Amino acid sequence: MNIIVPIKQVPDLVEELEINSAGTDLDREWLKMKLSEFDDHALEEALLMKDDGGANVTAIALASDDIDKALFAAAAKGADRLVKVNGVSGSSTHEAAKAMANAIQGMDYDMVMTGVQAVDDRDGQLAVLLAHYLNIPHVSVVTGVTVAGDNVTVLKEYGGGMVAEFEASTPVVLGIQAARETPRYVPVAKVRRASKDATIEEVDAGDLGVDAGSTVSKMYKPDTGGGAEMLEGSAEDQASKIMELLTQKGIK
Amino acid sequence: MSNQILVVVEHLKGKIEDITFEMLGKGKEVADSTGGELVALLLGSGVEGMASQLGAASKVIYVDDANLAEYNPQAYCKAVGSVVADTQPKMLLVGNTSMGMDIAGGVSVDQNMPFIAYASGISADGGTVTSSLYGGKMNIDSSPSGEGCIVSVISGSFPADAGRVDGSPAIELASADLSGLTVQFKRLIEPEGGDLDITQQAILISVGRGIQSDENLPMAEELAAKLGGAISCSRPIVDSKWLAKTRQVGKSGLKVKPKLYLALGISGAPEHIEGMKDADLIIAVNTDPKAPIFDYAHYGVVQDLFDFIPALSGKL
């Protein structure tokens, strides 16, 4: 079983996000990036399948700042092969998916598992776009994967805790919502060692030829109009104010 | 390209989901202001009766096929793609839901149509779409280049009542080639009954990532007990297995409407907001004064949870 896991870095939302001077994108100069949490789940699920009964796991990413570190971290966690795709700039997920499809097409694979979404995929989720560029089936919002021969049983989550079970034949692309286990942690020392031991293969993005797109006119912080009345003071003061509120509203 | 606004009807177990009515309401507005036609796209098997609930649309295109009896990502992508190829809509509206996330992207690639995801707003002329990104921390306005585009809409963005119109729109039958499917639906798995139904609770103390560790849960549980409420949570807490799935509020969890929703350390990603924004009283506690949850809360507290929780518990 060969599993390919496309991963990417996204802005760490714990940090303050600033908008660039054109007002159309984030100011990326000081942006702190981290592995997209859904990709982390996809990688974890692939590595668990490797742990369970053997799978060969390839982590693949588009070239960007710090991406080598993310790939080496994947190797430190257990990925067998690292691939970097050069030649894509900009934030179009369609272009990213096309570049990934070009790179993956020639590889030997049974499954592609990647995050169900990312915090910045404005023009759609990579998993489904990639599947359609590869012309193979796809299921997204996946929370369970079981393999039996050439068949994969997947659990797809709906709203309200309802889950649907599907059976697909390989090759298939899965958009992973959550792995069975919390994604594993890897110490920095191990990543450093991987950066010495592991190698990153580099491939070219090839023909992107994606013409259907959209143009951003404005990025701004949402103002929902309402907004909370902020209760100031120490924790004690704030707790007292909340007690007053709860009494007022007849809750306590 | 036609002047049609095409809305993909989402239904499960015989019930049309609210997101459909939200999109029909919004789609009607866009159709009216652009001289266009609102069309509902219904896929299924033996479900033509649902058309009577789709009166907001002037017509219903219905693909009746045994392969569509249950939702199937591959079959639905093919069927929607086939209708889109025939009708060339000006805009295709799809829910940013578990089903819609399969359909929108697939049709975008297959039909070479621009796709704008995570829509929380659409201008009356349909030309500008507002997407909610970066965990709800940023809005982006964009416009499709070229004609015809796909927009996926976040649940709860538009009033459902505006599109909930009974009627008898004309039904136009369409067919699609659904041979050679390699994905098969097997079964629906109902949620396991939990120890407690959070949708029935008047008071919810909801914990998010800010709680940091399951060792800190008892502190929140004590507060819940003193307030006479129950514990609920956001997605990361369930993924970490600190609380059961039945306690999860949000898009893939449950929608709740308690008298009091006290959000502790929940930043307020759109997926969470979907599940709790209609609560009567929302109080949010977070260390980040810019957390999106404060846009939806009635009262906000910027404070360290581990100072705040004992302080409030101490007063009860």
Side-chain angles (χ1 to χ4, degrees):
Chain A
M1 168 78 38
N2 290 315
I3 307 174
I4 297 178
V5 183
I7 60 172
K8 78 166 188 172
Q9 300 270 94
V10 294
D12 188 344
L13 299 184
V14 170
E15 304 289 317
E16 177 94 8
L17 301 178
E18 296 293 342
I19 297 167
N20 69 6
S21 54
T24 53
D25 192 9
L26 294 178
D27 182 348
R28 293 180 178 271
E29 192 174 359
W30 301 107
L31 213 50
K32 190 175 161 229
M33 305 292 277
K34 58 174 261 198
L35 179 63
S36 174
E37 62 170 304
F38 299 106
D39 291 349
D40 202 11
H41 276 274
L43 179 62
E44 180 60 33
E45 189 62 40
L47 294 173
L48 288 171
M49 292 172 76
K50 175 180 171 173
D51 296 346
D52 281 352
N56 193 281
V57 177
T58 299
I60 184 169
L62 300 186
S64 68
D65 290 348
D66 274 356
I67 200 66
D68 288 10
K69 218 164 79 189
L71 285 168
F72 287 132
K77 288 177 179 178
D80 304 283
R81 183 183 174 197
L82 310 176
V83 179
K84 181 161 74 172
V85 183
N86 292 315
V88 183
S89 56
S91 58
S92 159
T93 313
H94 281 71
E95 284 190 6
K98 190 73 203 294
M100 283 282 178
N102 290 345
I104 290 172
Q105 212 117 47
M107 296 184 185
D108 187 14
Y109 69 97
D110 303 287
M111 260 199 288
V112 179
M113 307 203 315
T114 188
V116 64
Q117 65 181 76
V119 295
D120 61 354
D121 49 2
R122 189 184 58 84
D123 64 323
Q125 298 80 19
L126 181 86
V128 58
L129 299 176
L130 175 57
H132 282 255
Y133 283 126
L134 287 169
N135 202 19
I136 61 174
H138 151 269
V139 182
S140 75
V141 202
V142 169
T143 55
V145 189
T146 322
V147 180
D150 291 338
N151 282 323
V152 188
T153 302
V154 298
L155 298 178
K156 173 181 172 69
E157 202 171 76
Y158 293 161
M162 188 88 82
V163 171
E165 186 181 293
F166 292 94
E167 200 171 275
S169 50
T170 57
V172 64
V173 179
L174 304 179
I176 302 290
Q177 169 81 52
R180 277 173 274 163
E181 304 288 341
T182 307
R184 61 195 71 186
Y185 169 79
V186 63
V188 177
K190 229 177 144 188
V191 179
R192 206 174 296 131
R193 206 172 319 130
S195 73
K196 297 201 177 80
D197 299 343
T199 49
I200 297 176
E201 297 166 41
E202 301 199 30
V203 298
D204 191 73
D207 176 24
L208 299 181
V210 176
D211 49 354
S214 52
T215 316
V216 172
S217 53
K218 197 166 106 179
M219 175 186 263
Y220 51 100
K221 298 188 178 178
D223 173 16
T224 51
E229 182 183 320
M230 303 307 286
L231 307 177
E232 310 292 340
S234 67
E236 283 295 326
D237 298 342
Q238 291 165 323
S240 298
K241 285 177 187 167
I242 285 182
M243 284 307 295
E244 277 171 41
L245 262 173
L246 297 184
T247 313
Q248 247 176 50
K249 309 256 177 197
I251 291 170
K252 203 70 205 173
Chain B
M1 189 190 65
S2 75
N3 65 355
Q4 288 181 350
I5 311 291
L6 194 59
V7 172
V8 176
V9 175
E10 189 170 309
H11 58 91
L12 184 64
K13 293 171 70 183
K15 184 181 169 289
I16 298 177
E17 304 280 340
D18 273 358
I19 180 68
T20 303
F21 299 116
E22 289 185 39
M23 294 189 293
L24 285 171
K26 190 67 195 181
K28 180 89 174 108
E29 192 184 315
V30 175
D32 285 350
S33 75
T34 56
E37 183 189 13
L38 179 66
V39 178
L41 171 53
L42 177 62
L43 312 170
S45 178
V47 293
E48 59 276 7
M50 285 183 182
S52 65
Q53 297 169 59
L54 304 172
S58 64
K59 117 177 144 183
V60 175
I61 296 178
Y62 177 38
V63 185
D64 187 350
D65 191 306
N67 288 307
L68 301 170
E70 294 286 350
Y71 173 76
N72 174 328
Q74 196 180 29
Y76 268 61
C77 273
K78 283 187 181 199
V80 174
S82 160
V83 171
V84 163
D86 287 345
T87 56
Q88 300 286 313
K90 180 182 158 137
M91 186 179 274
L92 174 72
L93 293 176
V94 183
N96 180 53
T97 56
S98 183
M99 297 182 193
M101 281 169 88
D102 291 325
I103 299 166
V107 175
S108 165
V109 170
D110 295 349
Q111 303 300 322
N112 196 28
M113 276 171 90
F115 170 23
I116 302 176
Y118 310 103
S120 59
I122 300 172
S123 65
D125 66 359
T128 307
V129 176
T130 302
S131 303
S132 176
L133 292 165
Y134 299 102
K137 286 190 160 189
M138 286 290 168
N139 280 353
I140 297 182
D141 287 356
S142 65
S143 307
S145 31
E147 299 193 314
C149 90
I150 301 169
V151 175
S152 69
V153 176
I154 296 176
S155 297
S157 297
F158 308 123
D161 285 347
R164 209 187 301 274
V165 181
D166 289 345
S168 47
I171 298 180
E172 184 181 304
L173 290 175
S175 60
D177 177 10
L178 300 178
S179 58
L181 294 179
T182 54
V183 177
Q184 308 296 335
F185 169 84
K186 300 308 269 188
R187 62 185 174 131
L188 269 183
I189 305 168
E190 301 279 343
E192 277 174 40
D195 53 332
L196 168 140
D197 182 358
I198 57 169
T199 65
Q200 298 301 317
Q201 296 291 313
I203 295 176
L204 285 176
I205 311 305
S206 210
V207 296
R209 240 189 261 269
I211 199 80
Q212 290 176 11
S213 157
D214 55 347
E215 287 168 15
N216 297 322
L217 277 178
M219 195 191 281
E221 277 159 356
E222 185 197 336
L223 178 60
K226 286 187 170 176
L227 277 167
I231 289 279
S232 59
C233 64
S234 62
R235 169 121 221 167
I237 305 300
V238 173
D239 285 347
S240 301
K241 300 193 170 31
W242 298 346
L243 285 172
K245 180 83 190 162
T246 49
R247 299 283 180 140
Q248 187 194 329
V249 173
K251 180 179 174 182
S252 55
L254 294 159
K255 288 192 170 50
V256 297
K257 204 173 170 295
K259 284 195 170 59
L260 169 66
Y261 190 82
L262 178 58
L264 301 174
I266 294 176
S267 66
E271 292 83 358
H272 186 76
I273 300 296
E274 261 187 62
M276 46 61 78
K277 69 186 168 69
D278 295 326
D280 293 345
L281 175 63
I282 302 170
I283 302 175
V285 186
N286 207 293
T287 48
D288 176 6
K290 299 226 160 72
I293 189 91
F294 290 128
D295 291 330
Y296 300 89
H298 303 99
Y299 295 92
V301 171
V302 176
Q303 190 56 265
D304 189 319
L305 287 189
F306 308 112
D307 292 330
F308 176 81
I309 298 175
L312 186 56
S313 272
K315 297 191 188 305
L316 286 158

